[in-house]
Amino acid sequence: MKQLTKEDINQEVFDLYDDYAHSKITRKEFLEKLSLYAVGAITLPALLSFISPNYTDFIVVNENDPRLNSGYISYDSPKGGGTIKGLLSMPKDAKAKLPGIIVVHENRGLNPYIEDVGRRAAIEGFISLAPDALTPLGGYPGNDDDGRAMQSKRNQQEMLEDFIAAFEYLKKHPNCNGKIGVVGFCFGGWISNMMAVKLPELKAAVPYYGRQAAAEDAKNIKSPLLLHYADLDKRVNEGWPAYEKVLKENNVAYEAHFYPNVNHGFHNNTTPRFDKAAADLSWERTIEFFNTYLKN
């Protein structure tokens, strides 16, 4: 059987997956519509397998990487979900206290990709904390479909409080110097924008293809922003002009990058929406941004 590549797949399939991943259509509707693109040698099971995440073969920094101390912790989130589990990672050879990064997951809980991103941040000389907002419901269930369904049952404002509590936990950690930023993806991009709204002491925020804060909230942002957008992501991008207007009017320091011909989720290397060139460049910019605002 022919191995599928991105070139075999219509853009409409990626758009359809985006609708499903963001709960705009049900799984039944998704499969019915997806079946229309299963033609010739491309079967529905093959198509579904291709566009689904592969967490087995694409981990960048292994959970047992000898350069890191990485393990699960729990912290209190009094206004959010009670007690929240998170993956805390830091370099083993650190000689001094480190700046911190909160890593915020997509709309499906703390899956292996986001844990990997947390470890990638630690490799770069930070102490990272990647919380699981699904903790009150039992935690990430082991697959993204169930994770999305679980996360839809939680209140978004309560989850925001969970990540604000993660900031407070990391700020007080004995290995953290108190300078903290946030990076988040999709839902986590919105959380990153909102943490910048809610936390004037946040030193840097990096939302990846995240929904923007409302104008009445955005005017309160004090921390510098580095915003990554996918050129083909019309759903999220439509909110950018109004957001940029407020940022400019309130003298918020920001950089915004639109990566050409890539889809929402382009940083996630476990799915075919991944674009290596855009992912690598955006991550280089992210680390440079954190180095500038957290290490100086």
Side-chain angles (χ1 to χ4, degrees):
M1 181 180 295
K2 178 182 182 294
Q3 178 126 9
L4 293 181
T5 67
K6 281 204 288 190
E7 289 68 32
D8 296 318
I9 308 302
N10 290 326
Q11 177 60 37
E12 289 86 353
V13 171
F14 293 108
D15 295 339
L16 182 63
Y17 180 79
D18 190 75
D19 285 345
Y20 169 59
H22 295 92
S23 303
K24 293 183 177 296
I25 57 175
T26 66
R27 182 170 178 81
K28 181 180 178 182
E29 292 171 323
F30 170 60
L31 292 175
E32 287 175 351
K33 293 181 179 182
L34 186 64
S35 67
L36 300 176
Y37 297 92
V39 295
I42 303 177
T43 66
L44 180 59
L47 195 55
L48 184 60
S49 176
F50 179 71
I51 63 175
S52 299
N54 177 352
Y55 294 134
T56 302
D57 300 324
F58 296 104
I59 296 300
V60 176
V61 181
N62 190 277
E63 62 183 347
N64 297 316
D65 191 294
R67 296 170 291 177
L68 296 178
N69 286 322
S70 185
Y72 298 108
I73 57 90
S74 292
Y75 64 90
D76 292 332
S77 179
K79 297 181 182 178
T83 300
I84 301 297
K85 173 184 173 182
L87 181 69
L88 186 72
S89 305
M90 69 190 82
K92 276 185 178 177
D93 61 356
K95 300 296 190 295
K97 292 186 176 184
L98 301 169
I101 297 175
I102 305 298
V103 180
V104 189
H105 59 68
E106 305 147 308
N107 64 336
R108 61 212 69 175
L110 182 60
N111 61 27
Y113 156 64
I114 296 296
E115 291 189 348
D116 188 17
V117 174
R119 293 190 295 268
R120 295 182 213 176
I123 288 292
E124 298 292 342
F126 300 91
I127 177 171
S128 71
L129 176 57
D132 186 359
L134 298 187
T135 304
L137 302 178
Y140 175 70
N143 70 84
D144 284 9
D145 283 346
D146 290 340
R148 272 191 296 271
M150 289 172 65
Q151 189 158 320
S152 69
K153 297 176 182 177
R154 287 215 61 200
N155 178 278
Q156 285 204 344
Q157 293 300 321
E158 288 187 357
M159 287 189 283
L160 174 59
E161 293 294 342
D162 292 337
F163 291 100
I164 290 173
F167 171 91
E168 298 296 341
Y169 172 89
L170 197 54
K171 185 173 70 173
K172 298 172 185 175
H173 193 281
N175 296 105
C176 182
N177 67 8
K179 293 183 178 181
I180 298 171
V182 60
V183 59
F185 305 84
C186 183
F187 161 79
W190 175 75
I191 290 288
S192 299
N193 280 316
M194 291 306 298
M195 287 179 67
V197 169
K198 298 285 189 178
L199 295 168
E201 64 268 46
L202 187 74
K203 298 299 183 183
V206 184
Y208 271 78
Y209 28 83
R211 191 159 46 90
Q212 300 83 7
E216 61 268 25
D217 293 324
K219 66 183 182 182
N220 297 318
I221 293 175
K222 304 300 181 188
S223 62
L225 303 176
L226 173 64
L227 306 112
H228 300 300
Y229 291 108
D231 183 50
L232 300 177
D233 188 8
K234 307 307 181 187
R235 176 180 54 84
V236 170
N237 295 352
E238 66 181 7
W240 170 243
Y243 196 41
E244 184 179 35
K245 181 174 182 290
V246 177
L247 297 180
K248 285 181 175 179
E249 289 174 348
N250 291 276
N251 298 312
V252 177
Y254 74 92
E255 296 176 35
H257 299 281
F258 286 76
Y259 297 84
N261 300 314
V262 300
N263 283 286
H264 181 98
F266 69 80
H267 184 269
N268 187 335
N269 63 315
T270 71
T271 83
R273 296 187 295 175
F274 172 63
D275 185 279
K276 180 173 172 51
D280 288 350
L281 178 57
S282 69
W283 190 245
E284 288 169 10
R285 286 169 167 164
T286 295
I287 296 304
E288 181 180 358
F289 191 73
F290 283 141
N291 284 338
T292 298
Y293 288 102
L294 302 184
K295 289 186 176 180
N296 295 324

